[in-house]
Amino acid sequence: MPLRVIAGSARGVRLQTPRGSATRPTSARLRESLFGMLEAADADLSSVLDLYAGSGALGIEALSRGAGRCVFVESSRRVCRVLRDNLERAGMSDRGEVVSGRIGRWRAHEDDRFTLVLADPPYDDGGAWRAIERAIEGAIAPGALIAVEHAARNQAPAALGGCAVWRRRRQGDGAIAAYRCLVSREEAEEPQP
């Protein structure tokens, strides 16, 4: 089944997927679940970071749904070319920045503060959680949301980058762990569902 943008201004645009098994695009059902959670949370989409970007499906979906800008970080230069083509197909090249870098080594610009972080690391990468923490260190805006796709068979950590787990969703072999970075003491005292 072809990979397509689900909703928003680029709805229906077909995205290319890199050849080979190096990337695993997030399924449409899991993307729909993720963006449903973000919509329910009234997520701030002004500045998005897409780590382990692959085809760019998550970040492009965010742009299609109104995100102001998205920085895509992907380690493979070949996959970065596919991602740039996908941004062009969706008509969003002007709001997307594609960076070739290894997660954990890559650092955001000093003045970047992301309101939403999306990460889809390889399911078998045991060091991905720590690499994500290093990548977002000092680059998260107050009240930001972090959403990480992971293998459903593995438990996500209770906290990531100083942010507590807010919601979890499972869909087949995949799962999403969403973290909310608190803005105020009152938010910290709200009961977790």
Side-chain angles (χ1 to χ4, degrees):
M1 183 170 196
L3 181 65
R4 295 186 188 277
V5 178
I6 298 168
S9 63
R11 180 180 182 187
V13 171
R14 186 174 178 175
L15 302 176
Q16 295 177 343
T17 54
R19 290 190 177 147
S21 61
T23 61
R24 174 201 26 79
T26 303
S27 73
R29 291 183 79 186
L30 198 53
R31 274 185 291 137
E32 189 66 58
S33 182
L34 166 63
F35 282 94
M37 283 192 305
L38 296 174
E39 187 176 311
D42 197 25
D44 179 350
L45 301 180
S46 56
S47 184
V48 178
L49 175 62
D50 186 351
L51 300 173
Y52 302 95
S55 67
L58 290 176
I60 291 171
E61 189 73 42
L63 289 170
S64 180
R65 293 173 185 241
R69 71 183 267 269
C70 184
V71 175
F72 298 84
V73 184
E74 169 55 48
S75 62
S76 166
R77 291 185 188 278
R78 179 184 59 81
V79 174
C80 283
R81 285 191 293 276
V82 172
L83 202 161
R84 284 185 187 94
D85 288 345
N86 283 338
L87 278 168
E88 188 70 34
R89 283 170 179 258
M92 298 177 178
S93 296
D94 59 329
R95 295 187 293 143
E97 176 187 350
V98 179
V99 178
S100 179
R102 188 168 176 211
I103 309 306
R105 289 188 178 163
W106 172 85
R107 294 285 184 250
H109 296 291
E110 191 175 302
D111 56 344
D112 274 339
R113 293 296 175 268
F114 297 102
T115 58
L116 174 62
V117 176
L118 304 167
D120 184 9
Y123 281 2
D124 60 352
D125 185 350
W129 295 98
R130 182 64 193 124
I132 292 167
E133 279 193 313
R134 284 193 302 271
I136 64 175
E137 186 176 0
I140 301 299
L145 287 169
I146 303 167
V148 181
E149 182 178 350
H150 62 93
R153 68 182 177 275
N154 298 332
Q155 183 68 28
L160 181 66
C163 305
V165 144
W166 169 67
R167 295 274 192 278
R168 297 175 198 264
R169 291 282 191 280
R170 182 180 175 153
Q171 185 70 47
D173 293 338
I176 297 282
Y179 298 83
R180 185 166 225 161
C181 304
L182 303 178
V183 176
S184 66
R185 186 171 189 81
E186 292 77 29
E187 283 186 2
E189 294 169 0
E190 286 182 15
Q192 294 292 318

